[in-house]
Amino acid sequence: MRMRLWRMSDAEGECGQATVEYALVLCAFLATVVALGVMWHAVRDGVLLRRCMEALSHRLAASGAVGSAQDVSLY
């Protein structure tokens, strides 16, 4: 009579791996959906456009030679 050691067969050992992989893929998919939803709301509300306008170097208040020099130095 053979004694069974505490060793799992291949089929038993891979059951948990599929579950973990499914959980990881599901979390990544949900994070992508949430990020796209946040971006959609930012674009819809104009927040993204305001942030882009604030970051522009071509939107300086000074005009003329001083404004052009500032624009060139910042670009």
Side-chain angles (χ1 to χ4, degrees):
M1 186 154 122
R2 296 171 101 188
M3 287 180 59
R4 181 176 173 149
L5 299 176
W6 293 101
R7 183 177 151 224
M8 292 187 284
S9 67
D10 288 338
E12 291 173 351
E14 292 178 1
C15 287
Q17 180 181 355
T19 304
V20 171
E21 288 175 357
Y22 178 75
L24 289 174
V25 169
L26 181 65
C27 288
F29 179 73
L30 288 177
T32 304
V33 169
V34 169
L36 288 174
V38 168
M39 280 188 64
W40 179 70
H41 282 287
V43 170
R44 184 191 64 185
D45 297 339
V47 174
L48 187 62
L49 182 62
R50 275 196 307 268
R51 298 286 184 222
C52 290
M53 292 298 287
E54 290 171 0
L56 286 176
S57 65
H58 298 288
R59 196 172 170 254
L60 297 173
S63 61
V66 174
S68 297
Q70 288 176 347
D71 185 35
V72 167
S73 66
L74 290 174
Y75 192 66

